[in-house]
Amino acid sequence: QVQLVESGGASVQAGGSLRLSCAASGYTVSRACLAWFRQAPGKEREGVASIYTGDGTTYYSASVKGRFTISQGDAKNTVYLQMASLKPEDAAMYYCAAQGSTYCTGGYCYCLLRNDFTYSGRGTLVTVSS
């Protein structure tokens, strides 16, 4: 049984940093797509960052590029989202997701941030005060 468990959500001030963690169990994370999505109240779920564990290729949405970093832990079943320069609009429930679609080109494979990931966790809440 696949389980994705997020942690690390908290309340921070604008400009602050936070690191989210996702622990995966029951799932083979080699050559897999792992991603972080978020959903704010009244808004659609949005993909923010993905990583293809086969070669470490990452992909970010325009709204977080340059501020967020997705990485895989030394324990390969863990994925992190390091968030910096947080803005009030980053406040949302953040979800870890696994097994999404890939697009391979030029020797690299990118995990597409589409809402077609097979597995998702229950989320961890991030609030950002101005």
Side-chain angles (χ1 to χ4, degrees):
Q1 182 180 359
V2 176
Q3 276 195 318
L4 302 173
V5 180
E6 304 93 338
S7 61
S11 179
V12 298
Q13 288 193 326
S17 300
L18 205 58
R19 189 176 81 159
L20 306 182
S21 301
C22 172
S25 60
Y27 182 71
T28 302
V29 297
S30 62
R31 298 183 181 273
C33 281
L34 298 174
W36 287 94
F37 287 75
R38 67 185 181 187
Q39 188 168 21
K43 294 189 176 181
E44 293 186 354
R45 184 175 288 204
E46 171 194 18
V48 296
S50 67
I51 184 167
Y52 178 64
T53 61
D55 59 15
T57 301
T58 58
Y59 183 78
Y60 299 93
S61 68
S63 61
V64 307
K65 193 171 185 179
R67 300 188 298 121
F68 290 12
T69 304
I70 188 171
S71 62
Q72 198 175 5
D74 290 337
K76 297 299 183 183
N77 64 332
T78 302
V79 62
Y80 301 105
L81 184 67
Q82 180 69 48
M83 305 185 293
S85 303
L86 283 162
K87 305 174 182 180
E89 52 263 42
D90 293 318
M93 187 71 81
Y94 282 73
Y95 300 89
C96 177
Q99 194 165 314
S101 302
T102 55
Y103 171 71
C104 298
T105 183
Y108 296 96
C109 287
Y110 300 89
C111 297
L112 302 175
L113 290 173
R114 301 193 303 203
N115 282 308
D116 62 354
F117 279 67
T118 302
Y119 306 107
S120 180
R122 293 189 173 186
T124 187
L125 184 63
V126 173
T127 58
V128 184
S129 57
S130 57

